[in-house]
Amino acid sequence: MSSTDALLMRGGPASTSVLSVFATYWTEVAVFAFFLLGFFVFRSSYAKKKIADWQHHLVAASKAANKKESLLSPLSPLSPSPSPSSPALAEADSAKETIAKADAFYTEGHNRPVYTLWHELLANDIKPPCEMYTILIKTHARAEPAEIPTDFDLIVSLKDSLEKNRQYTDTAVMDVVVSSLCRVKNVEGALNLFELAIAAGLIPDKNIYNCLVTGLSQAKMAQTAVEYMMKMKKESMQVEDSTYQSLIKCCARCDRPDLVMRVLKEMDSSASSSS
């Protein structure tokens, strides 16, 4: 007699029925139990992984929101210096990162964070690249008074930065500063910084001169514009045709026929010498 038969004989009708079913289908029951256990194990590990992913995304989103909120918060005077260990300036290419952030804020129409990023560069003794000067000047040209820090003066800040970083004699930087200021119609500021740069030893190129003369012409400063054109001629620099045209229009609007004739004479002499 087999062990299974003995068990069947010992139990009553109920146990006999259960044991007989188990004896007949024990393989199927074992397989079903195995797959059921595997299913629960898989569900448990999958759920843990999804929870970990959600937690990671929530932490990242929280950090990004806090970062943007801190940059968009109202600005106090720029006197207190930020910590040198600021996350935005921690890496070696912090200047490039700052430019990318400033350009993004400018493009999105946020002005106040650009001032904050500019101050972070200066406070951490990082020399502002040309692009940062352009973004700052364009931002300042469109900013509302309430968006400008209370102790910020554009020309003073540019002057301090150029002096501190010894960029007065950097032709590329001065070209950007002068041309940017002229484009936003801050010609007097451009002229001021240009003269300081000349005194510091800058040797201007034709691009700086052409931008400055064009800006002076658009500001209807006819006499000054013609004087700087003559300085260009004295330095044997090429005056662009567009610069001549701006000068002539400016002198005519200022009712200075004598200056119109002078510009035409210089224009004619340039054409003769080049031919």
Side-chain angles (χ1 to χ4, degrees), residues 17 29 81 243:
S17 175
V29 171
S81 298
T243 304

Side-chain angles (χ1 to χ4, degrees), residues 137 140 153-159 162 168 174 176-197 208 212 215-216 219 221 228:
I137 294 168
H140 195 73
D153 182 283
L154 177 65
I155 301 303
V156 172
S157 184
L158 292 175
K159 176 178 174 293
L162 292 168
Y168 263 134
M174 287 307 301
V176 166
V177 171
V178 170
S179 60
S180 298
L181 286 171
C182 287
R183 288 192 187 103
V184 300
K185 305 187 187 311
N186 194 337
V187 183
E188 291 184 0
L191 190 59
N192 180 15
L193 292 176
F194 180 78
E195 288 298 337
L196 289 173
I208 299 179
L212 186 61
L216 290 167
M221 300 170 67
Y228 276 94

Side-chain angles (χ1 to χ4, degrees), residues 69-90:
E69 182 180 354
S70 65
L71 285 171
L72 291 174
S73 59
L75 290 181
S76 57
L78 294 180
S79 301
S81 298
S83 169
S85 59
S86 172
L89 304 173

Side-chain angles (χ1 to χ4, degrees), residues 7-195:
L7 287 172
L8 291 173
M9 290 177 66
R10 260 187 241 127
S15 61
T16 302
S17 175
V18 172
L19 290 175
S20 63
V21 170
F22 179 77
T24 305
Y25 299 104
W26 73 270
T27 305
E28 288 81 354
V29 171
V31 171
F32 176 75
F34 175 78
F35 278 109
L36 189 63
L37 178 63
F39 173 75
F40 281 114
V41 171
F42 172 77
R43 284 293 300 270
S44 176
S45 60
Y46 178 77
K48 289 180 181 178
K49 183 177 181 303
K50 291 299 292 183
I51 291 172
D53 290 342
W54 291 337
Q55 289 176 340
H56 174 74
H57 289 310
L58 285 173
V59 171
S62 176
K63 287 182 179 179
N66 291 336
K67 179 74 175 178
K68 188 166 186 178
E69 182 180 354
S70 65
L71 285 171
L72 291 174
S73 59
L75 290 181
S76 57
L78 294 180
S79 301
S81 298
S83 169
S85 59
S86 172
L89 304 173
E91 300 180 10
D93 58 347
S94 55
K96 292 182 180 179
E97 290 183 0
T98 304
I99 289 172
K101 291 178 182 178
D103 185 58
F105 279 124
Y106 176 81
T107 303
E108 294 172 2
H110 302 304
N111 298 322
R112 290 179 300 194
V114 176
Y115 293 106
T116 302
L117 293 171
W118 168 261
H119 183 57
E120 283 186 356
L121 285 176
L122 301 187
N124 288 277
D125 293 325
I126 297 178
K127 184 182 293 186
C130 293
E131 297 90 341
M132 193 63 196
Y133 283 104
T134 302
I135 295 171
L136 176 71
I137 294 168
K138 291 193 300 182
T139 299
H140 195 73
R142 76 176 186 188
E144 298 293 333
E147 297 176 303
I148 302 173
T150 54
D151 62 347
F152 182 83
D153 182 283
L154 177 65
I155 301 303
V156 172
S157 184
L158 292 175
K159 176 178 174 293
D160 291 344
S161 175
L162 292 168
E163 287 179 349
K164 179 180 179 181
N165 296 292
R166 299 182 181 181
Q167 291 177 294
Y168 263 134
T169 55
D170 189 326
T171 305
V173 172
M174 287 307 301
D175 188 9
V176 166
V177 171
V178 170
S179 60
S180 298
L181 286 171
C182 287
R183 288 192 187 103
V184 300
K185 305 187 187 311
N186 194 337
V187 183
E188 291 184 0
L191 190 59
N192 180 15
L193 292 176
F194 180 78
E195 288 298 337

